[in-house]
């Protein structure tokens, strides 16, 4: 399902994808004005792993509610920024279009753990946790109940294939070249080393 085909389904309430539902509804609202715009459609962000840097370093563990073997697009924030900047600086486009920003690979959580183990030089494993545990972690860090539920609903939708609707094309690797291994070497490893 692409964001455009997904947005009607999500906005109509056929699917609930938490925070993504609101984002897709906003895209539909912008589209209804006839204004020229580009909607960047993004899957999982590599940089969200930084929230778990202490657990990765101290316990060799990261967790989420996703199935361990689910392979899905994952993108670095810097690649998202580069695509957005290119579009903002290009005065030649018009109309309305979605721009999938997928990253160059579709790693699984287990695959990410293997890469982290190699890059960090310490054993790292993935643990799938129940949705309630994720929600409790979020609210314990001060996230509101509504925001935590929205994040949980988004992750449930991702586990059910939300991020798998766009067919990967060579352009995706060119536009978003940062691999998970490269991101680990350049972002995660320094963050792990910086912890006392």
């Amino acid at each position: 399902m692409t964001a455009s085909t997904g947005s009607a389904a999500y906005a109509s309430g056929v699917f609930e994808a938490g925070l993504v539902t609101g984002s897709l509804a906003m895209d539909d609202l912008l589209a209804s004005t006839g204004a020229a715009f580009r909607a960047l459609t993004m899957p999982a962000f590599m940089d969200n792993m930084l929230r778990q840097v202490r657990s990765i370093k101290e316990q060799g563990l990261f967790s989420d509610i996703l199935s361990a073997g689910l392979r899905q697009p994952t993108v670095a924030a810097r690649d998202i920024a580069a695509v957005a900047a290119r579009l903002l600086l290009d005065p030649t486009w018009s109309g309305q279009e979605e721009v999938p920003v997928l990253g160059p690979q579709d790693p699984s959580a287990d695959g990410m753990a293997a890469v982290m183990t190699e890059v960090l030089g310490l054993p790292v494993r993935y643990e799938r946790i129940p949705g309630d545990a994720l929600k409790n972690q979020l609210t314990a860090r001060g996230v509101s109940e509504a925001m935590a539920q929205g994040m949980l609903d988004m992750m449930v939708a991702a586990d059910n294939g939300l991020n798998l609707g766009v067919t990967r094309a060579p352009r995706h690797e060119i536009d978003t070249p940062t691999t998970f291994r490269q991101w680990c070497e350049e972002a995660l490893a320094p963050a792990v080393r910086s912890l006392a």
Side-chain angles (χ1 to χ4, degrees), residues 2-95:
T2 66
S4 61
T5 59
S7 78
Y10 284 101
S12 71
V14 174
F15 299 105
E16 176 54 47
L19 303 178
V20 174
T21 304
S23 177
L24 293 173
M26 187 56 65
D27 287 349
D28 288 345
L29 181 62
L30 288 169
S32 73
T33 70
F37 83 104
R38 293 294 181 265
L40 301 186
T41 58
M42 297 156 296
F45 298 0
M46 294 175 195
D47 302 77
N48 287 342
M49 192 68 69
L50 294 172
R51 296 178 187 154
Q52 300 192 55
V53 71
R54 185 163 301 281
S55 174
I56 291 167
K57 180 175 183 170
E58 295 175 358
Q59 301 171 33
L61 173 71
F62 74 103
S63 60
D64 206 331
I65 70 162
L66 299 175
S67 302
L70 175 67
R71 295 176 58 85
Q72 66 172 344
T74 306
V75 66
R78 65 181 175 208
D79 289 348
I80 298 166
V83 171
R86 186 188 78 231
L87 289 168
L88 288 169
L89 294 171
D90 179 2
T92 63
W93 61 265
S94 62

Side-chain angles (χ1 to χ4, degrees), residues 51-189:
R51 296 178 187 154
Q52 300 192 55
V53 71
R54 185 163 301 281
S55 174
I56 291 167
K57 180 175 183 170
E58 295 175 358
Q59 301 171 33
L61 173 71
F62 74 103
S63 60
D64 206 331
I65 70 162
L66 299 175
S67 302
L70 175 67
R71 295 176 58 85
Q72 66 172 344
T74 306
V75 66
R78 65 181 175 208
D79 289 348
I80 298 166
V83 171
R86 186 188 78 231
L87 289 168
L88 288 169
L89 294 171
D90 179 2
T92 63
W93 61 265
S94 62
Q96 300 175 347
E97 185 180 349
E98 291 176 345
V99 180
V101 184
L102 303 181
Q105 304 165 320
D106 297 343
S108 68
D110 281 344
M112 293 168 123
V115 169
M116 285 188 270
T117 294
E118 292 171 12
V119 170
L120 300 175
L122 58 100
V124 178
R125 66 183 175 84
Y126 172 72
E127 180 179 291
R128 185 177 190 187
I129 59 173
D132 287 344
L134 175 65
K135 190 173 176 183
N136 290 339
Q137 288 174 0
L138 293 168
T139 56
R141 290 191 306 222
V143 174
S144 73
E145 177 75 21
M147 185 68 151
Q149 186 63 53
M151 291 181 76
L152 174 59
D153 291 344
M154 177 179 66
M155 296 308 296
V156 168
D159 197 45
N160 289 320
L162 174 69
N163 297 328
L164 304 177
V166 176
T167 302
R168 185 173 293 285
R171 184 85 224 158
H172 297 127
E173 191 168 341
I174 294 166
D175 287 346
T176 54
T178 306
T179 65
F180 185 68
R181 176 177 298 281
Q182 179 184 358
W183 179 84
C184 285
E185 292 168 349
E186 297 173 2
L188 183 62

